[in-house]
Amino acid sequence: MGKRGRWLFLLLAGLVLLGLVWLGYTTDPEVTALRNVAHYKIVKAVGGPKVRTGEPPGAIAGAVRDAQGDPVSGATVLVSSPLGHVYTAESDPAGQYRIDSVPPGRYVPVASQVGYEDALKQTCLPGLCYKHVANVRPRGEDQGVDLILPLAEPPEIVLDDSLLVSPTVEVDVSAPIPGKALRTSFGFQRAGLWVNDCHLYEPAGGASSPAGDEAAPFPTLLLVLPGPVRTWEIVSVPFASQGFSVVACYPLRGIDIDEDAVDLLTALEYVRQGRVPSRADPERLGLIGASFTSLHGYRILRLTHQFDAALVLGGMADGFRFRYDVERGATQTRPPFDQAIMALGFPNNSPELYFTYSILYHLEALPPLCLLHGKADELSPFTQSEQLAEVLEERGLPHQFYGYEGLSHYFATTADAATTQHMFQDSLDCLRRFLPEE
């Protein structure tokens, strides 16, 4: 090989090396998802993820501080095995923490505390991030694994002239809960997307508010639906017919839940500010999510404290527990959710999304919760709500928990129609219990 050939070889090798570095550390969400899917399939092909439970455990220790270097007390610090089994600790008044009984292996710790953004230790350059890993050895302790929590900033809600409001029409549903409502569709531009599947539903026929006043405003519900809104009018219309202003939206950004959450808050704000004509009370606010959109609902509750109550049907409370149930075959996954699980990565190396969207580890400052779950739910296990209710009860946090025999995912049920009607009445009773009076 001549001198020129050697230079070309070195140049090509350098470009390949740079490409591998970019592939391994890029923050591009689509590339990250593809990398995680490929990694998952390779690991599964060679026997699946391993947890070294047969060896003596170790520990991880460090401190949690804010951006000014002051200790953060009461922060939750967590690591997870590749299968989703978690190990946690709470920081003391000096910000110190220690996670014991951790199987040997490599872990990325994450931390949270109310008023702060979740954090993991990483070094970032434009478009690239390297996560710092805690290396646990048998009977060893990896010390100095410090985490910095940045202050949480409320989302910026901007209303502009892109709003389009359609004429109001009357709609009705006959089953499973009969009802009639007025529907006003609207859309707007935000963050490069035309948000065009939001609709306002209000009582039809000059209905009175729950207090009986024909001129009084209706309590407002933000309803986050798992599919196009008009295909889910079996939910929105009955709630509206019972005296609520229902802002029903279908999130459009796929797995970008944070941007979806701001879209949803923006839609609500267009109604609260009167840009979409309504009888909605801008101060009495409830939130409803179901199944996958419970993640949107819980994220919204962490971004803002303006809601008085939240209702969650068949919700997801702990992403780590869900991953654990999937890995041991206790929970079904079907397309596209099986691909989404792979795209998240193994939680020992990529815990951040599992953690951020697991409300079980972010219970502080939540409003009262109404939890409803079918005991036969084959996609979002009943144990997700059951576990959350147990922790809420232990901490003395306001909530109501309802379980339904024979009820599977959403409204598909092997029980009689009375079960669905009972669930709807429980929903109304719980919301009315927790929403303030006029």
Side-chain angles (χ1 to χ4, degrees), residues 294-309:
S294 65
L295 304 181
H296 299 77
Y298 286 139
R299 185 58 177 156
I300 288 171
L301 296 179
R302 293 187 61 202
L303 291 173
T304 176
H305 298 154
Q306 62 185 333
F307 290 91
D308 301 299

Side-chain angles (χ1 to χ4, degrees), residues 34-328:
L34 291 173
R35 181 184 69 216
N36 289 339
V37 170
H39 181 216
Y40 182 90
K41 291 183 175 181
I42 291 171
V43 171
K44 281 291 190 180
V46 297
K50 301 294 190 296
V51 181
R52 295 159 60 184
T53 53
E55 302 178 48
I60 300 171
V64 183
R65 300 185 177 90
D66 63 19
Q68 286 69 47
D70 296 323
V72 177
S73 175
T76 297
V77 188
L78 176 150
V79 295
S80 171
S81 78
L83 299 177
H85 188 81
V86 299
Y87 308 86
T88 64
E90 186 174 294
S91 61
D92 63 20
Q96 301 293 316
Y97 75 90
R98 176 187 168 93
I99 307 176
D100 291 309
S101 303
V102 182
R106 294 166 60 83
Y107 302 89
V108 174
V110 286
S112 74
Q113 174 59 299
V114 64
Y116 298 89
E117 295 289 349
D118 296 346
L120 51 80
K121 190 174 183 180
Q122 58 183 352
T123 300
C124 293
L125 297 172
L128 301 173
C129 280
Y130 168 75
K131 300 173 188 175
H132 293 259
V133 175
N135 191 11
V136 178
R137 294 180 173 85
R139 297 191 181 90
E141 178 178 313
D142 194 345
Q143 299 179 338
V145 185
D146 298 341
L147 296 158
I148 297 176
L149 296 180
L151 281 174
E153 298 290 340
E156 183 180 8
I157 306 299
V158 178
L159 307 186
D160 58 29
D161 294 333
S162 67
L163 176 69
L164 293 178
V165 181
S166 299
T168 299
V169 297
E170 186 173 291
V171 294
D172 63 83
V173 296
S174 57
I177 311 296
K180 183 183 296 185
L182 300 176
R183 182 184 68 212
T184 305
S185 304
F186 63 98
F188 54 91
Q189 186 84 18
R190 200 197 76 80
L193 179 71
W194 181 247
V195 182
N196 63 353
D197 201 356
C198 286
H199 309 261
L200 171 69
Y201 295 85
E202 295 195 306
S208 302
S209 71
D213 186 345
E214 294 186 3
F218 300 112
T220 306
L221 301 178
L222 176 59
L223 174 59
V224 189
L225 289 166
V229 172
R230 294 191 187 185
T231 66
W232 281 94
E233 289 187 335
I234 58 172
V235 179
S236 49
V237 170
F239 274 110
S241 69
Q242 292 296 316
F244 293 93
S245 289
V246 180
V247 182
C249 293
Y250 170 44
L252 300 174
R253 297 183 188 266
I255 62 172
D256 194 348
I257 293 175
D258 276 19
E259 285 297 330
D260 271 332
V262 182
D263 290 344
L264 294 161
L265 289 171
T266 302
L268 177 64
E269 199 62 21
Y270 274 115
V271 174
R272 293 182 71 212
Q273 297 300 325
R275 298 282 298 274
V276 178
S278 74
R279 287 178 58 186
D281 188 326
E283 302 303 326
R284 288 185 295 154
L285 301 177
L287 176 66
I288 302 177
S291 186
F292 178 70
T293 64
S294 65
L295 304 181
H296 299 77
Y298 286 139
R299 185 58 177 156
I300 288 171
L301 296 179
R302 293 187 61 202
L303 291 173
T304 176
H305 298 154
Q306 62 185 333
F307 290 91
D308 301 299
L311 186 147
V312 181
L313 171 64
M316 303 285 293
D318 185 355
F320 297 101
R321 173 66 180 269
F322 184 77
R323 180 64 183 247
Y324 182 74
D325 287 342
V326 168
E327 292 293 343
R328 64 190 183 95

